[in-house]
Amino acid sequence: MDNSNVALITKMVLEAIEQQKSSAENGYLVPVGVSARHIHLTQEHVEALFGEGYQLTKKKELMGGQYASNETVTIVGLKLRAIENVRILGPVRSKSQVEVSATDAIRLGVKAPIRESGNTAGSAAVAVVGPKGVIYLNEGCIIAKRHIHMAPKDAMAAGVHDGDIVSVKADNERGTVFNHVQIRVDDSFTLEMHIDTDEANASKIATGDTVRIIC
């Protein structure tokens, strides 16, 4: 390797280090996606709700190979309190899961815990009604823990790792600081922090706004 190549590589490395220092000092900027209530279903449950052999149809592509489907269902909590038009996200999963806000949980009359997606053990029970049938989940209704999706390059630039817990700040008129934000890193992810509708409304944040990782 000649001296000119060595000098170029050294310059690039130093610039990357300075960029990471600047990000750490000023706070790494992250766009926000506000996540509305939705449901993930197994294929067995899709068929129970929509009919034998039924396949979800795609409405909108999401990150990580997921998509919003055209299909919706009604979720029913205690005392037959219901919320209609809950969007199904595909593709199908190995376990069904309902994600709601705290306000939704009150409306349904269920005690949904704050959990990372997929951690449904001992969570709230809920019924799901489709056009062709009904299923009852003994557990599976949660309030999703706020989190940031990142590709590995974003995590490196921000100086964080998969599973880290950070705080972020919204520099708007509310000036809200969110603690206990989990970092989730995967090659398929696009940089975005996910909060639910309650958190968004309280902090006056909309999809497309940005926040900064502060620690």
Side-chain angles (χ1 to χ4, degrees), residues 7 26 29-31 40 50 53 85 101 107 125 148 152 157 164 188 209:
N26 299 323
L29 200 64
V30 179
H40 303 277
F50 292 90
N85 299 316
S101 69
R107 178 177 170 183
I148 298 174
D164 283 355
S188 65
D209 290 347

Side-chain angles (χ1 to χ4, degrees), residues 13-53:
V13 170
L14 290 174
E15 287 177 350
I17 291 172
E18 285 303 314
Q19 183 178 2
Q20 287 188 33
K21 284 182 179 178
S22 177
S23 294
E25 291 169 0
N26 299 323
Y28 193 75
L29 200 64
V30 179
V32 176
V34 179
S35 182
R37 67 181 76 100
H38 59 272
I39 183 170
H40 303 277
L41 293 171
T42 65
Q43 181 58 32
E44 178 185 0
H45 285 162
V46 169
E47 295 188 33
L49 295 169
F50 292 90
E52 185 176 353

Side-chain angles (χ1 to χ4, degrees), residues 51-204:
E52 185 176 353
Y54 193 90
Q55 300 291 319
L56 296 176
T57 58
K58 192 176 297 185
K59 178 181 177 70
K60 180 183 177 182
E61 291 279 358
L62 304 173
M63 74 170 70
Q66 294 191 89
Y67 59 86
S69 75
N70 290 297
E71 291 76 18
T72 62
V73 294
T74 296
I75 54 176
V76 184
L78 300 178
K79 300 181 181 177
L80 300 181
R81 297 175 183 172
I83 298 176
E84 299 179 337
N85 299 316
V86 177
R87 184 75 55 188
I88 302 172
L89 300 193
V92 294
R93 291 191 174 187
S94 59
K95 195 171 185 179
S96 293
Q97 172 181 299
V98 181
E99 296 182 35
V100 298
S101 69
T103 298
D104 290 336
I106 293 170
R107 178 177 170 183
L108 291 168
V110 300
K111 294 182 179 180
I114 298 173
R115 296 280 184 82
E116 182 181 1
S117 179
N119 181 9
T120 59
S123 58
V126 70
V128 183
V129 182
K132 296 291 182 65
V134 179
I135 61 172
Y136 181 77
L137 303 177
N138 290 314
E139 58 185 23
C141 185
I142 65 170
I143 298 168
K145 184 177 183 179
R146 59 180 77 112
H147 56 278
I148 298 174
H149 290 283
M150 286 184 162
K153 64 180 180 60
D154 298 313
M156 181 177 294
V160 296
H161 303 88
D162 186 50
D164 283 355
I165 303 297
V166 299
S167 295
V168 306
K169 182 179 180 182
D171 290 317
N172 59 16
E173 60 190 297
R174 285 291 177 90
T176 307
V177 174
F178 294 95
N179 296 315
H180 311 299
V181 182
Q182 185 167 15
I183 300 295
R184 297 172 60 180
V185 181
D186 190 90
D187 288 324
S188 65
F189 288 162
T190 302
L191 181 63
E192 193 170 64
M193 176 177 171
H194 284 178
I195 57 177
D196 65 30
T197 51
D198 280 359
E199 294 169 312
N201 290 336
S203 57
K204 205 171 183 181

